[in-house]
Amino acid sequence: MQFASTRNPDIKVDFREGVFQGLAPDGGLYHPVTMPDLTEVISKFGPGTTFLEIATEMTKGLFGDELTDEQAERICTKAFTFSPALVKVTDKISILELYHGPSCAFKDFGASYLAACMEEFLKSRSSKAIILTATSGDTGSAVARAFHKRENIEVIILYPSGRVSPLQEKQLTTLGENITALEVKGSFDDCQRMVKSAFVDPELIGKMTLSSANSINLGRLIPQSFYYLWANSRDQAGKTKPYFAVPSGNFGNLTAGVMASKWGMKTPGFLAVTNRNDVVPEYLKTGDYNPRPSEQTLSNAMDVGAPSNFDRLLAIFKGDWDKMKETIGEEVVTDKETLETIKRIQEDYNYLADPHTAVGFLGAERYLEKNADIENIICLSTAHPGKFLEVVQEATGSFPELPEQLKAIQDLEKVSIITENTDQALKDFLLARFA
Ligand SMILES: *Cc1c(COP(=O)(O)O)cnc(C)c1O
């Protein structure tokens, strides 16, 4: 499968090259040159097909030109030691739980697949890969867990000081070994900008192999389509295929779902739900795209003011606003509504949602109110409620149970390197450590 930069169609790579480059050399995002038609592969998925089977068949279908069947099977078996779960919560809304992986967030799917792909690809290379990643909370922990102790790979994580939850910070800063955490005195947008600037810095590129593990990386993006396919293939006897409500920040998750639909998954559409950082919903409403600094909210993994995957969405719809609107609806949810929703879902349906999932859930409920003909919506649940103890406690009055994966790290000691929020600061660090 061939991918081209969203900024220049002449810059083309295969999957392997795209995985290691992360961002294209011109600063664009890699995007499929043509969307493969996998309708036949997808039509074979049914309620009995496991997530691992779907991931493996899709990997073969998408990358059969580059990977042998054995490689595809090895990558998926290593990556997916965990699965999603689908829970019916109301008559019309089911929740797709994507938090059963090692860091208890949906980003485990992308990070694990990317780590497994890189490990497979590095077998035939002699050089070490350095992974640079900016996180607003969850990416970093998923990446840290997925890459911990992998040979020939060093991971540098940038996170905004004081803007991730205490537990998230522990996840980022306690693994050690090949994982280094840079605590940046600034916002997530600063972290993201610093990483982007490193990738296009000729001096750095000349001296080391830099790769990304952010949602901009194809190796993270592509596997996120697999759980849409899995959920879509579950039995919904007598009903039409479901919509998907996606709590969104950088829009990697939603983009992956839209890609699955372009490859042949039948769905009536998607719902982009954000917190107050509503750049994309605003675009869907007005046609104007105004990226701006992010604002801090209770669903902090979605505090993104300039979503990196927006260019990919534009590329999929060839810049056609009307087409995008036909496929993607929008809802915006405030912090106050997020707290109320967590409490109400628990009281009415005995379901405990994290703040991001609550944003998606309220978006789905509102969309159903406006569109009475819709039969069912699957709301993606992006994190375990135990990851956002403080917010869930504020909403419900009691602390949620911490998942086992997270209990273990609570007492470990934080190790981070305090870093200025400038491109030069990151460059200096990299040169000192790796050049
Ligand atoms: C990253 C993240 C999101 C947003 O996903 P995008 O792909 O960036 O839109 C939502 N919820 C949680 C818990 C996350 O970690």
Side-chain angles (χ1 to χ4, degrees):
M1 191 171 172
Q2 287 280 302
F3 299 88
S5 166
T6 45
R7 296 198 184 157
N8 179 354
D10 293 333
I11 300 183
K12 281 189 202 145
V13 290
D14 59 13
F15 179 59
R16 176 189 304 240
E17 198 50 43
V19 157
F20 284 105
Q21 284 187 20
L23 205 63
D26 64 346
L29 299 158
Y30 283 119
H31 180 77
V33 173
T34 50
M35 289 293 182
D37 181 358
L38 297 179
T39 311
E40 209 172 303
V41 176
I42 292 171
S43 68
K44 295 202 183 103
F45 301 155
T49 318
T50 64
F51 178 75
L52 180 57
E53 285 163 352
I54 288 180
T56 308
E57 288 313 305
M58 289 304 292
T59 301
K60 290 177 186 170
L62 292 166
F63 306 125
D65 55 339
E66 279 179 65
L67 297 170
T68 64
D69 282 1
E70 293 70 42
Q71 285 182 304
E73 280 156 20
R74 194 155 53 223
I75 287 169
C76 292
T77 309
K78 271 199 181 171
F80 300 123
T81 52
F82 53 93
S83 293
L86 193 61
V87 181
K88 192 169 157 56
V89 176
T90 79
D91 248 11
K92 290 188 167 185
I93 303 178
S94 297
I95 289 188
L96 176 59
E97 294 178 348
L98 301 172
Y99 56 70
H100 299 291
S103 83
C104 305
F106 87 93
K107 293 188 175 76
D108 286 326
F109 286 91
S112 292
Y113 190 81
L114 175 63
C117 286
M118 282 195 169
E119 200 169 50
E120 185 68 36
F121 292 149
L122 281 169
K123 284 184 183 162
S124 58
R125 283 194 180 195
S126 54
S127 62
K128 199 172 191 147
I130 299 159
I131 294 173
L132 277 185
T133 185
T135 184
S136 56
D138 273 333
T139 309
S141 37
V143 167
R145 292 293 297 260
F147 284 92
H148 191 217
K149 296 184 181 175
R150 299 244 175 202
E151 266 178 49
N152 280 334
I153 303 179
E154 286 284 334
V155 178
I156 312 297
I157 296 170
L158 286 78
Y159 72 96
S161 182
R163 298 211 194 172
V164 301
S165 78
L167 198 64
Q168 283 175 334
E169 186 166 41
K170 285 276 179 173
Q171 289 187 284
L172 300 174
T173 58
T174 56
L175 283 170
E177 312 217 25
N178 62 330
I179 315 290
T180 303
L182 299 186
E183 181 173 354
V184 173
K185 295 197 253 172
S187 68
F188 169 65
D189 290 333
D190 289 329
C191 298
Q192 189 149 263
R193 191 206 66 243
M194 290 161 74
V195 167
K196 280 186 179 171
S197 97
F199 283 124
V200 294
D201 187 309
E203 191 186 352
L204 289 176
I205 296 171
K207 289 187 172 152
M208 54 196 83
T209 309
L210 294 178
S211 295
S212 103
N214 280 67
S215 56
I216 55 174
N217 193 301
L218 288 172
R220 287 260 326 265
L221 180 74
I222 303 280
Q224 292 179 169
S225 64
F226 302 161
Y227 45 70
Y228 288 89
L229 291 158
W230 178 83
N232 193 258
S233 67
R234 301 299 95 179
D235 203 8
Q236 290 116 17
K239 295 203 169 183
T240 56
K241 286 292 186 185
Y243 275 80
F244 287 98
V246 189
S248 293
N250 252 325
F251 282 79
N253 207 1
L254 185 92
T255 302
V258 176
M259 285 170 105
S261 75
K262 297 290 169 189
W263 300 336
M265 178 182 76
K266 302 264 180 301
T267 176
F270 299 85
L271 189 54
V273 196
T274 68
N275 58 31
R276 203 159 74 238
N277 296 284
D278 61 347
V279 178
V280 174
E282 185 181 271
Y283 169 78
L284 289 165
K285 261 187 273 184
T286 65
D288 291 327
Y289 185 64
N290 285 310
R292 49 191 173 250
S294 60
E295 290 179 48
Q296 219 176 327
T297 75
L298 295 177
S299 44
N300 71 356
M302 310 196 301
D303 293 351
V304 182
S308 26
N309 284 288
F310 183 71
D311 284 348
R312 281 197 176 115
L313 279 178
L314 274 185
I316 292 175
F317 294 100
K318 305 194 165 62
D320 187 333
W321 176 62
D322 289 301
K323 283 253 162 58
M324 201 192 288
K325 274 202 314 178
E326 273 168 30
T327 308
I328 309 174
E330 46 76 25
E331 294 290 339
V332 180
V333 172
T334 65
D335 274 355
K336 185 164 171 284
E337 291 166 338
T338 304
L339 290 171
E340 287 164 2
T341 304
I342 294 172
K343 186 172 163 61
R344 186 169 50 81
I345 310 177
Q346 191 194 34
E347 286 175 358
D348 291 358
Y349 309 112
N350 195 24
Y351 189 91
L352 193 59
D354 96 292
H356 307 81
T357 307
V359 166
F361 191 90
L362 182 59
E365 286 184 313
R366 283 196 189 144
Y367 205 62
L368 284 169
E369 268 168 38
K370 291 178 203 161
N371 302 279
D373 54 318
I374 296 180
E375 289 185 50
N376 50 352
I377 298 187
I378 291 176
C379 171
L380 275 58
S381 172
T382 49
H384 189 289
K387 288 195 86 166
F388 297 90
L389 292 171
E390 292 80 5
V391 181
V392 173
Q393 202 253 347
E394 190 181 343
T396 64
S398 56
F399 275 114
E401 178 83 13
L402 208 61
E404 289 303 324
Q405 295 100 304
L406 301 185
K407 277 184 189 158
I409 60 165
Q410 271 189 314
D411 301 325
L412 299 178
E413 194 193 341
K414 162 185 163 182
V415 180
S416 70
I417 299 174
I418 310 271
T419 307
E420 295 297 327
N421 63 346
T422 62
D423 299 350
Q424 190 64 39
L426 176 60
K427 183 170 177 173
D428 291 344
F429 168 81
L430 290 171
L431 288 172
R433 170 84 65 105
F434 299 111

